[in-house]
């Protein structure tokens, strides 16, 4: 085996499944698929000899080509299409028994940018299909967690501090909303075919179709149909919205993954202990400390999410520098950035699905942490309910209770707050039973249950039940 990039320094993408869809061989296969599909389009339109498409299709088997040689020779033309095209023509000539007619269907009226742009859209289409399947697995797992833990109390945190009572069900639903919204945006993207010819005027194709029933635009639409891509209104050699929109959608999806992973690395800390990653033999081990169980799934997901913004930014920087009618350099910087985004999103999606489907939830730890601030967590609701009972300066009196409570050690604040609050509010205005009800965290969840329900109902295509029917 020759040396290559196997992902040694990118464990989140070091997967045969990721390589199969986004690796160099997948890129080469996509280029060859575009050339084969174009030959079929030309033959179907009567613009290439009968039988030529079959010859090109046979020659377009990626197994015929030495990937390392093609990559090295790409330096000679600044893109991989040029050397691969030379090899393809040689294979077509060797296979052709029609007197050289097969070669007439290869690359006719195309330019290298037509082929590579279309190939990258094809690569993206295949990757996004697999990616969305993983996303739906994740969101389905999150929907289950949201329903199972609709009443599981925990602490809601704001700017690192305990804020209000919350439910783990709502947290899972909010995770779902982020992932499903980004997934829906990605699924809605049109990935267009590229066909403009040497300078975006379709001059060669116009000559090719003269006198036939086809036009350059009908040929482009047929190519899109064969490849499962979207038709394009016009060539987009230097209008890169298709690329930047795809990059933005992938980065947004990675953002939603990163949010979950960031919550996980905090909530899984030993001193917090509310969640745990699924256990697997040999995973999460330390090279030096045998007692450690590192949250490696979350770490890998975060590593992918942190790379997304800069890669999307690279696509925008390139798009802004696409000069003339065909660009120099800026186009070339798109390729690795876009492919990296695809591979990171897919690799992270595999990790996130495993994480959410096997997530360990510890309600007792959530309740324990909820008890640290104790009834102080209800001070907002207490103020709204009790202040009117204490006259015009009611809010100030209750704030004084809170301020005095905060002077006590953390472990004593729960009892201190109850005691000071009882002293501040006469029993004839608020009975012990009424006070106890106010200080029950379950009594101050607002619309948590309804928010969760609305989220799940809003994304039925991403919340498939265990029976296979979407929720809704």
């Amino acid at each position: 085996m020759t040396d290559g990039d196997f992902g040694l320094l990118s464990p989140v993408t070091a997967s045969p499944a990721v390589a199969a869809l986004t690796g160099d061989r997948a890129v080469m296969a996509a280029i060859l698929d575009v050339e084969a599909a174009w030959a079929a389009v030309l033959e179907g339109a009567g613009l290439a000899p009968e039988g030529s498409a079959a010859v090109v299709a046979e020659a377009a088997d990626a197994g015929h080509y030495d990937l390392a040689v093609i990559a090295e020779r790409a330096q000679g033309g600044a893109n991989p299409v040029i050397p691969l095209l030379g090899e393809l023509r040689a294979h077509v000539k060797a296979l052709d028994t029609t007197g050289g007619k097969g070669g007439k269907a290869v690359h006719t009226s195309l330019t290298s940018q037509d082929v590579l742009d279309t190939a990258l859209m094809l690569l993206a289409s295949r990757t996004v299909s697999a990616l969305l399947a993983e996303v739906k697995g994740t969101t389905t797992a999150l929907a289950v967690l949201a329903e199972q833990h609709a009443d599981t109390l925990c602490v809601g945190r704001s700017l690192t501090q305990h804020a209000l009572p919350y439910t783990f069900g709502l947290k899972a639903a909010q995770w779902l909303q982020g992932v499903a919204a980004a997934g829906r945006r990605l699924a809605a993207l049109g990935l267009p075919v590229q066909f403009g010819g040497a300078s975006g005027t379709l001059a060669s194709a116009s000559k090719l179709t003269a006198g036939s029933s086809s036009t350059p635009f009908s040929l482009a639409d047929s190519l899109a149909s064969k490849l499962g891509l979207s038709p394009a209104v016009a060539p987009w050699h230097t209008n890169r919205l298709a690329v930047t929109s795809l990059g933005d959608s992938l980065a947004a999806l990675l953002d939603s993954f990163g949010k979950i992973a960031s919550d996980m690395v905090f909530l899984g800390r030993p001193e917090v202990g509310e969640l745990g990653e699924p256990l697997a033999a040999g995973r999460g081990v330390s090279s030096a400390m045998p007692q450690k169980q590192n949250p490696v799934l979350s770490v890998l997901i975060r590593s992918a999410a942190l790379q997304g913004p800069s890669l999307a930014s690279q696509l925008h920087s390139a798009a802004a520098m696409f000069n003339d009618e065909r660009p120099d350099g800026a186009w070339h910087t798109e390729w690795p950035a876009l492919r990296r985004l695809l591979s990171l999103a897919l690799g992270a999606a595999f990790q996130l699905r495993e994480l959410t489907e096997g997530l360990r939830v510890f309600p007792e730890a959530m309740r324990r942490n909820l008890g640290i601030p104790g009834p102080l967590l209800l001070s907002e609701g207490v103020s709204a309910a009790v202040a009117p009972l204490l006259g015009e300066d009611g809010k100030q009196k209750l704030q004084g209770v809170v301020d005095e409570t905060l002077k006590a050690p953390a472990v004593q604040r729960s009892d201190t707050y109850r005691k000071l609050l009882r002293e501040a509010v006469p029993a004839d205005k608020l009975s012990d039973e009424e006070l106890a009800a106010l200080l029950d965290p379950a009594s101050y969840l607002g619309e948590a249950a309804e928010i969760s329900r609305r989220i799940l109902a809003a994304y039925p295509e991403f919340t498939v039940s265990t029976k296979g029917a979407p929720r809704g």
Side-chain angles (χ1 to χ4, degrees):
M1 180 181 292
T2 59
D3 288 342
D5 185 354
F6 299 103
L8 190 63
L9 297 181
S10 181
V12 71
T13 60
S15 158
V18 174
L21 286 165
T22 66
D24 279 351
R25 189 158 297 278
V27 174
M28 184 170 69
I31 293 171
L32 291 167
D33 287 345
V34 172
E35 293 284 3
W38 182 243
V41 167
L42 293 181
E43 183 178 330
L47 300 173
E50 185 176 350
S52 58
V55 176
V56 176
E58 184 178 355
D61 183 342
H64 296 325
Y65 303 89
D66 188 322
L67 186 59
V69 170
I70 296 297
E72 184 175 3
R73 287 178 56 200
Q75 296 181 27
N79 76 68
V81 175
I82 294 172
L84 187 55
L85 182 58
E87 293 288 319
L88 175 62
R89 284 181 169 137
H91 278 287
V92 168
K93 184 176 181 179
L95 293 167
D96 194 357
T97 59
T98 64
K101 294 178 181 179
K104 296 180 179 180
V106 178
H107 203 70
T108 300
S109 295
L110 296 176
T111 191
S112 56
Q113 188 173 356
D114 292 336
V115 176
L116 190 51
D117 277 351
T118 301
L120 289 175
M121 290 295 106
L122 181 59
L123 183 88
S125 177
R126 291 166 174 171
T127 305
V128 167
S129 179
L131 174 56
L132 289 175
E134 296 305 307
V135 166
K136 290 178 182 179
T138 291
T139 51
T140 297
L142 291 174
V144 171
L145 289 169
E147 292 174 342
Q148 288 180 343
H149 293 280
D151 299 320
T152 300
L153 292 172
C154 64
V155 175
R157 298 174 174 90
S158 172
L159 299 178
T160 76
Q161 302 299 296
H162 292 173
L164 291 174
Y166 210 74
T167 68
F168 180 65
L170 179 54
K171 183 178 286 290
Q174 289 288 12
W175 287 347
L176 184 155
Q177 178 172 227
V179 175
R184 180 179 285 174
R185 175 183 175 185
L186 180 62
L189 281 181
L191 302 175
V193 71
Q194 176 73 282
F195 182 38
S199 193
T201 64
L202 294 169
S204 176
S206 182
K207 289 287 187 181
L208 177 68
T209 57
S212 76
S213 60
S214 298
T215 70
F217 306 103
S218 66
L219 295 181
D221 290 349
S222 295
L223 180 61
S225 178
K226 282 190 176 296
L227 295 173
L229 298 176
S230 299
V233 172
W236 45 278
H237 287 157
T238 55
N239 298 315
R240 309 308 287 178
L241 185 61
V243 176
T244 56
S245 295
L246 174 58
D248 289 344
S249 294
L250 292 167
L253 189 62
L254 282 167
D255 291 345
S256 71
F257 293 176
K259 160 60 180 170
I260 298 173
S262 294
D263 281 348
M264 274 296 309
V265 295
F266 171 74
L267 295 173
R269 289 172 180 264
E271 62 269 26
V272 180
E274 295 183 8
L275 299 176
E277 290 193 351
L279 301 176
R283 185 165 63 201
V285 297
S286 166
S287 64
M289 295 165 281
Q291 84 282 2
K292 287 187 71 182
Q293 185 66 43
N294 295 319
V296 292
L297 294 177
S298 299
V299 167
L300 292 179
I301 295 164
R302 289 191 82 205
S303 77
L306 289 168
Q307 295 176 66
S310 61
L311 291 166
S313 176
Q314 175 62 55
L315 295 178
H316 283 281
S317 295
M321 299 300 291
F322 265 57
N323 58 331
D324 301 327
E325 281 60 59
R326 293 276 306 285
D328 55 3
W331 179 47
H332 303 69
T333 67
E334 277 185 351
W335 315 335
L338 180 60
R339 183 171 67 163
R340 183 64 175 162
L341 274 169
L342 287 165
S343 63
L344 285 170
L346 184 59
F350 287 136
Q351 308 288 338
L352 184 61
R353 182 173 185 175
E354 182 178 357
L355 172 62
T356 54
E357 288 183 341
L359 186 66
R360 294 178 297 144
V361 182
F362 304 114
E364 65 280 5
M366 294 178 181
R367 191 73 194 210
R368 180 198 68 219
N369 293 334
L370 185 68
I372 293 174
L376 264 180
L377 210 62
L378 283 301
S379 60
E380 178 189 70
V382 168
S383 179
V386 176
L389 305 178
L390 300 180
E392 293 184 0
D393 60 348
K395 285 190 176 181
Q396 289 79 5
K397 290 179 179 178
L398 292 174
Q399 184 61 51
V401 169
V402 171
D403 293 343
E404 284 300 312
T405 301
L406 292 176
K407 295 176 182 179
V411 294
Q412 298 177 12
R413 287 175 185 171
S414 178
D415 291 340
T416 300
Y417 182 69
R418 290 179 186 275
K419 176 178 178 293
L420 294 176
L421 185 61
R422 180 68 284 175
E423 293 174 354
V425 185
D428 62 338
K429 293 184 180 293
L430 190 72
S431 68
D432 289 343
E433 292 76 13
E434 290 170 327
L435 180 59
L438 274 178
L439 299 181
D440 178 2
S443 71
Y444 201 65
L445 292 172
E447 299 292 338
E450 177 61 10
I451 293 170
S452 294
R453 188 202 66 75
R454 287 170 64 87
I455 290 172
L456 268 60
Y459 300 97
E461 76 273 33
F462 286 97
T463 54
V464 179
S465 72
T466 54
K467 295 182 179 179
R471 291 175 172 82

